[in-house]
Amino acid sequence: MEPQPDEEFLPQLSELQEQIAQLEATEPESANLATLYEFLGQVYAQRIRQGEAENLDRERHQAIDAFHQAITSQEQLQDRSALVNSLRKLANFYDSQSQFTKAITCNQRALEIAREINDRASIAESLNNLGATYIYLGQYQRAIELVEQSLEIGHEINDRASIAESLNNLGATYIYLGQYQRAIELVEQSLEIGHEINDRTSIAESLNNLGATYIYLRQYQRAIEFFEQSLEIGHEIGARASIAESLNNLGATYIYLGQYQRAIDFVEQSLEIRREIDACAGVAESLNSLGATYIYLGQYQRAIKFVELSLEIRREINACAGVAESLNSLGDAYKFLYQYQRAIEFYNQSLEIRRELGACPGVAESLNNLGTAYHFFGQHQRAIELIEQSLEIRREIGARAGVSECLNNLSNAYKSLGQYQRAIELIEQSLEIGREIGARASEAQSLDIKALTLAKFDSRSEAVKTIQQAREIYAALGLNQCVEKCNNEISRLNSSISSTIGNLLQRTSHTSNWIWIKWLLWVVVSIAIFTIVGLLLKR
C-alpha cells in the first residue's frame, strides 16, 4: 500500500544541485529547469525513503520545495503532461509522509488535468493513487469506486502494470471489509500479472496482502510464508517501506502464535525503519502492534504508553481507521486491568468510528470486545446481546474464524449464567467451524472453554480428556504458554477429582463406622434382653 520507489535512473544530488545553479544563472526560463527540479524532489524523496537523509526534517521540506518549483515552472510553460507527472510524484511523497489531505489535493488536480488532455494512463494512475489514499483513511467504498474506474481504464488501454496495481488495491480494500475470499481472488490475479511482467514491487505487495488475508482467516503458518517471501523481495529491491510492512506483519502473526518476544523483535525492526523513512502511518501501526504484544505479556501500563503514542499520531494525520484500532487496543489494555468501565468507553469510541466508516470487520470486533467487557463486568445478558450482533455481522461477511470467536464468547457468557447445556452447544458449533477452516489455534481455544464448562457440569474426567486434546494442538503449534496453562488446568482438575474421591471415601468410612456401632449396640442390647429373659424364666 505504501508508495514504491521510482525505478527510473536518478542523477546524483550534488550533480543536480550544480546543474540547477548553473541553469538558474544562465537560462532561468529554460524548460530543462522544471525537469531538474522534479528530479531533485525525487532524489530527496528517495533519500528519505531509503533512510539516507542527513537531516530528515530539512530534506523533507527540500523535497516538497523542489516539486513545487517544478510544478510552478511547468505551469508557466503550460506543459500539462509534465505537470500531471510532477503532481502525482508530489502526491506520492505526501502519501509516504502520511499527509493524506495534501496527497488527495495533488492527485485530484493531476486527475483533472489528465482528463483535460485525455491522458488515459495518467487518469488510471491518479484514480489508483486516490483510491490507495482513501484506503489509508478508512473510506473503503470511496476507494473501491475510484480503483474500479482505474481498473476499467487499465483493461481498455491494456496497461498490465496498472491492472495489477488496481487489483492489489481492490484486494486490500476487501480485506478491510472482511470479504476475504474476494480479496484472495483479486490479489492472486494481481500476483499472477506481477510475475508475468516481472514487477518485483507489485509481487511483494501482493504477497503482503495475501499474508494479511490469511491472518484474518487464522491460517498463521501460511501467512508467515507469504510475509517471508515478500520480505525477501523487499530486501532484494531495497524497498524499505515494503520491508518494514513485512516485518510488522510477521510480528503481528507471531503475536497470534503466542511467540511474543519474536513478535517484539520483528515489530521493533519495522518501527526503526519507519522512523528512519519518516512514515508516520507506519510508525503508528508499529507502535500499536508493540502495545498489543505487551498486552498479551501482561505489561499493561507499558502497552498503554505505546498505544497512546500510536493514537496521537493517527489523530494528527486523520487516519480514522487507525484511530479506531488504537482505541480498541486501549480498551483491551484497560479490560485486563479490570477497569471495565474505562474499557467500555474506549470500545464504544472505536465502534462509533468504525460504524461511520462502514468497516464491517471492525464493527464486529468492537461489538465482540464490548460484549466481553460487559461479561467481565458481570452484565452477562448485555454481553450476550452485543456478541450476538457481532456474530450476525461475521456470519454475513463470511468471517468464519470470527464466528468461532463469538461462539466461544457466547459460551462463556451462558456458562456464567449457569446455562451449561447451552454453553456446551455453542462451543460445539465453534469447534466444528474451527476444524472445517483448519484454524487449529481456534479449535484448541474452543476445547479449552469446553473443558472448563464440563468441569462446572461435574464432568471432570471428561474435562481432563478435552483439555488434553487442546494441549496437544497447542504443543503442535508451538504455543508453549498455552501448553503450560493446560498443564496447570489439568493438575487443578485432577486435584479436584482426587479431593472428591477422598471426600466420598471419608463419607463412606463414616457411614461404615456408624453401621458397625449400631450393630454392636444391637448385639449388646440383644444379649441384655436374652439375659433378663433367662433370669425371669429361672424364677
Side-chain angles (χ1 to χ4, degrees):
M1 293 294 299
E2 297 207 20
Q4 301 299 329
D6 297 306
E7 294 181 351
E8 60 189 285
F9 169 77
L10 290 173
Q12 292 294 315
L13 178 60
S14 57
E15 180 186 336
L16 271 173
Q17 289 169 328
E18 185 180 330
Q19 289 177 354
I20 289 169
Q22 185 177 353
L23 264 182
E24 282 184 334
T26 58
E27 299 179 61
E29 304 300 322
S30 171
N32 290 334
L33 203 54
T35 304
L36 291 174
Y37 271 119
E38 185 186 292
F39 280 156
L40 184 63
Q42 287 178 258
V43 168
Y44 280 123
Q46 188 180 68
R47 283 166 61 85
I48 292 169
R49 193 165 47 236
Q50 295 178 350
E52 296 171 356
E54 293 177 4
N55 185 311
L56 195 57
D57 192 54
R58 186 182 67 222
E59 294 197 23
R60 185 194 305 113
H61 287 296
Q62 287 173 324
I64 293 168
D65 288 344
F67 283 126
H68 277 299
Q69 289 271 20
I71 289 166
T72 301
S73 180
Q74 288 154 355
E75 285 173 335
Q76 291 170 350
L77 295 165
Q78 295 187 348
D79 187 350
R80 296 202 289 173
S81 180
L83 178 57
V84 168
N85 200 42
S86 292
L87 284 166
R88 281 206 319 268
K89 285 182 166 59
L90 178 56
N92 284 343
F93 182 69
Y94 278 134
D95 258 332
S96 73
Q97 302 303 294
S98 305
Q99 297 185 42
F100 300 123
T101 303
K102 290 181 179 179
I104 288 171
T105 300
C106 289
N107 270 319
Q108 283 177 335
R109 190 172 171 215
L111 177 61
E112 183 182 341
I113 298 168
R115 281 174 170 157
E116 288 172 2
I117 62 177
N118 197 30
D119 183 345
R120 304 279 282 162
S122 290
I123 292 169
E125 188 171 350
S126 296
L127 287 166
N128 236 330
N129 291 344
L130 278 168
T133 306
Y134 279 111
I135 292 171
Y136 278 123
L137 293 173
Q139 299 184 35
Y140 304 124
Q141 291 305 325
R142 179 70 176 135
I144 288 171
E145 291 167 10
L146 291 161
V147 178
E148 283 183 342
Q149 291 176 53
S150 176
L151 180 61
E152 185 179 350
I153 295 170
H155 281 298
E156 287 171 3
I157 63 177
N158 195 31
D159 186 338
R160 302 282 281 162
S162 176
I163 291 168
E165 185 181 4
S166 297
L167 289 167
N168 244 332
N169 285 338
L170 278 175
T173 313
Y174 281 110
I175 292 170
Y176 290 116
L177 288 171
Q179 299 184 35
Y180 304 123
Q181 289 307 319
R182 178 73 176 133
I184 288 170
E185 290 167 10
L186 290 162
V187 177
E188 284 181 342
Q189 289 176 51
S190 176
L191 181 61
E192 185 178 349
I193 295 170
H195 281 298
E196 287 172 4
I197 64 177
N198 195 31
D199 186 339
R200 304 280 281 162
T201 299
S202 178
I203 291 168
E205 186 179 359
S206 296
L207 291 166
N208 247 326
N209 285 338
L210 282 172
T213 313
Y214 281 106
I215 283 182
Y216 285 110
L217 291 171
R218 306 292 200 271
Q219 297 185 34
Y220 302 124
Q221 291 303 328
R222 195 161 188 191
I224 287 170
E225 290 168 12
F226 284 120
F227 292 141
E228 286 179 341
Q229 290 175 54
S230 179
L231 180 62
E232 184 179 350
I233 293 170
H235 281 298
E236 288 171 1
I237 63 177
R240 302 200 77 207
S242 178
I243 291 167
E245 185 179 6
S246 299
L247 288 166
N248 189 78
N249 289 341
L250 278 167
T253 313
Y254 281 109
I255 292 172
Y256 289 115
L257 287 170
Q259 299 183 34
Y260 303 124
Q261 193 52 56
R262 196 164 187 189
I264 288 169
D265 292 341
F266 279 119
V267 178
E268 284 183 340
Q269 290 177 59
S270 173
L271 179 60
E272 183 179 355
I273 293 170
R274 284 169 160 174
R275 279 178 167 154
E276 287 173 0
I277 64 177
D278 200 29
C280 297
V283 168
E285 182 184 29
S286 295
L287 287 168
N288 193 74
S289 296
L290 277 174
T293 314
Y294 283 111
I295 288 171
Y296 283 106
L297 285 170
Q299 299 182 36
Y300 305 122
Q301 293 301 333
R302 192 170 188 185
I304 288 168
K305 288 177 183 176
F306 281 117
V307 179
E308 284 180 340
L309 287 169
S310 171
L311 180 61
E312 183 181 352
I313 295 169
R314 284 167 159 172
R315 280 180 167 152
E316 284 174 3
I317 64 177
N318 196 32
C320 297
V323 169
E325 183 185 31
S326 295
L327 289 167
N328 192 72
S329 296
L330 284 172
D332 289 342
Y334 282 106
K335 179 173 68 179
F336 289 112
L337 283 169
Y338 309 110
Q339 297 184 36
Y340 302 124
Q341 194 56 55
R342 196 159 186 194
I344 288 167
E345 289 169 9
F346 282 119
Y347 286 143
N348 273 322
Q349 290 175 52
S350 175
L351 176 61
E352 184 179 352
I353 295 169
R354 284 167 162 175
R355 277 182 167 151
E356 288 173 2
L357 296 173
C360 294
V363 170
E365 182 185 30
S366 294
L367 286 167
N368 184 67
N369 288 343
L370 262 175
T372 58
Y374 276 109
H375 168 64
F376 289 125
F377 207 19
Q379 298 186 29
H380 306 305
Q381 199 55 53
R382 178 64 177 144
I384 288 168
E385 291 167 8
L386 290 161
I387 297 168
E388 283 181 342
Q389 290 177 51
S390 175
L391 177 62
E392 184 179 354
I393 294 170
R394 284 171 164 175
R395 279 178 168 153
E396 285 174 2
I397 65 176
R400 302 197 73 203
V403 169
S404 177
E405 182 184 21
C406 285
L407 291 168
N408 278 344
N409 290 335
L410 281 173
S411 177
N412 278 330
Y414 279 107
K415 181 178 68 179
S416 296
L417 289 171
Q419 298 183 36
Y420 302 126
Q421 190 56 52
R422 178 65 176 142
I424 292 288
E425 289 168 6
L426 289 162
I427 212 67
E428 290 291 356
Q429 291 176 45
S430 177
L431 265 172
E432 185 179 351
I433 293 170
R435 285 165 178 159
E436 285 174 1
I437 65 175
R440 299 282 283 158
S442 179
E443 181 187 348
Q445 187 181 18
S446 298
L447 286 166
D448 204 344
I449 295 168
K450 181 182 176 181
L452 296 176
T453 311
L454 286 167
K456 292 281 186 181
F457 228 169
D458 283 335
S459 301
R460 290 184 179 86
S461 296
E462 190 62 32
V464 170
K465 291 178 185 176
T466 305
I467 210 161
Q468 284 172 339
Q469 293 174 42
R471 182 177 62 182
E472 287 176 14
I473 296 171
Y474 285 136
L477 293 173
L479 299 176
N480 297 327
Q481 288 185 323
C482 295
V483 171
E484 186 179 347
K485 180 185 168 188
C486 286
N487 286 334
N488 292 336
E489 198 59 40
I490 289 167
S491 297
R492 189 184 67 80
L493 286 169
N494 282 332
S495 175
S496 177
I497 292 168
S498 299
S499 176
T500 302
I501 292 169
N503 288 336
L504 285 171
L505 287 172
Q506 192 173 12
R507 276 190 229 144
T508 305
S509 175
H510 288 159
T511 304
S512 299
N513 289 340
W514 178 239
I515 291 169
W516 178 248
I517 290 166
K518 285 200 293 184
W519 183 78
L520 283 173
L521 285 170
W522 181 80
V523 170
V524 170
V525 170
S526 297
I527 292 169
I529 291 170
F530 278 116
T531 303
I532 293 167
V533 170
L535 289 171
L536 289 172
L537 288 173
K538 283 181 183 179
R539 287 180 188 176

